[in-house]
Amino acid sequence: MKYQEAKDKFILAWGSLGSSWGISRTMAQIHALLLISTTPLSTEDIMEELQISRGNANQNIRALMDWGLVEKQLKTGERKEYFVAGKDVWELAKQVAKERKKRELEPILKVLNQVQGVNGNTKEVKEFKEVTKNISDFAEQAESTLNLFINSKQNWLYKILSKIRS
Amino acid sequence: MKYQEAKDKFILAWGSLGSSWGISRTMAQIHALLLISTTPLSTEDIMEELQISRGNANQNIRALMDWGLVEKQLKTGERKEYFVAGKDVWELAKQVAKERKKRELEPILKVLNQVQGVNGNTKEVKEFKEVTKNISDFAEQAESTLNLFINSKQNWLYKILSKIRS
DNA sequence: CATAAGTTTCAATTATTATTGAAACTTTGT
DNA sequence: ACAAAGTTTCAATAATAATTGAAACTTATG
């Protein structure tokens, strides 16, 4: 397979994976491009490669920086800004987990706790409380596990897998 | 807090959580409604509660059945179809993990393997191979862990947490 | 087999989200 | 202070996804 073909395939696939991960298509494509790039890329490089507008490039690069997936890199003697993506896949996964926890898990946990305060004694209320309590317990477990993962220095999965299989 | 208020809050929150999980808003809302319902609901019940059209209700109910989150339940002597959601949160999580693995992880793994076949010796190609190989390894790890989870009979997280903390 | 009760499909519409492009803004060098 | 190089913003537009509603279809029953 030719390099160009492989590259395009990868960028496309990463983009569509992104869509189902709360990361917009273009954002994921820019990320993919930076992942496989051997050098930092400027906004123009990215516009050129992905055939997107300046505004689009700018906004998505900034979103990637918000997520902590991409960093700005200045070249001495140049005014242009260049961007690089961290290449450590574990760091990437941790960063994504962290952001999603903040954006998704925490809000639902808040609501689940709030609605526990429902009052009444009908079977509807009882069922409601039971279900939401179960979900809340589960979500808290998930949160605690995610924290373990996010804060782990080393390869967490390997450790767990070796333990659980022993 | 009143029951109606709590219910609405929960359904709304579940809906917006769904959006960031590849489960459309309405689909997640129907699921939420069935989760807290004490009895099986018909299509009409759902249309009524969520103020949605018949077509919308029908399609999303069917999607939920595809995901294995909702089951049809027939009442003897009635022609109408009723629906129930499983209330075991672990089963729910497992089911969602299973579907997402199938829909997202497996396709990207396929592409990652394909693009490993790129040829050339430039530093671009080397970098490309390295990055995609790392991602592929990670994804395989993730897959294997997900399988462990999906196939586990009992509460997997508890086990892991107790082990890793020991 | 004709009708009623219910379910499914899908073209048209509506709502949501992403993208463009040009103007406004910021920073640096002369 | 001005011009040049670069970045950011945002209203308008385009692309995508969800929803409606009515017609087509299916199934059970007298």
Side-chain angles (χ1 to χ4, degrees), chain B residues 55 58-59 62 79-81:
Chain B
N58 181 270
Q59 291 201 13
R62 273 144 52 60
R79 282 174 73 170
K80 217 181 285 187
E81 297 178 336

Side-chain angles (χ1 to χ4, degrees), chain B residues 49-129:
Chain B
E49 281 269 4
L50 302 179
Q51 292 291 302
I52 58 175
S53 72
R54 183 174 300 283
N56 195 6
N58 181 270
Q59 291 201 13
N60 282 295
I61 290 168
R62 273 144 52 60
L64 282 165
M65 291 197 293
D66 278 353
W67 276 73
L69 301 179
V70 160
E71 290 194 354
K72 195 180 287 192
Q73 198 168 84
L74 298 171
K75 287 194 185 176
T76 45
E78 285 213 46
R79 282 174 73 170
K80 217 181 285 187
E81 297 178 336
Y82 289 81
F83 304 94
V84 287
K87 308 233 164 161
D88 181 332
V89 183
W90 281 94
E91 276 308 316
L92 165 60
K94 278 160 65 169
Q95 209 59 45
V96 172
K98 194 172 170 182
E99 286 299 319
R100 290 183 62 104
K101 179 166 86 79
K102 190 169 75 194
R103 289 164 207 238
E104 293 158 29
L105 200 53
E106 285 169 14
I108 189 85
L109 264 172
K110 203 169 139 241
V111 172
L112 286 165
N113 284 330
Q114 274 175 19
V115 300
Q116 287 296 307
V118 61
N119 38 32
N121 245 338
T122 61
K123 67 177 190 309
E124 280 79 18
V125 170
K126 282 179 188 159
E127 175 79 2
F128 180 83
K129 277 189 175 171

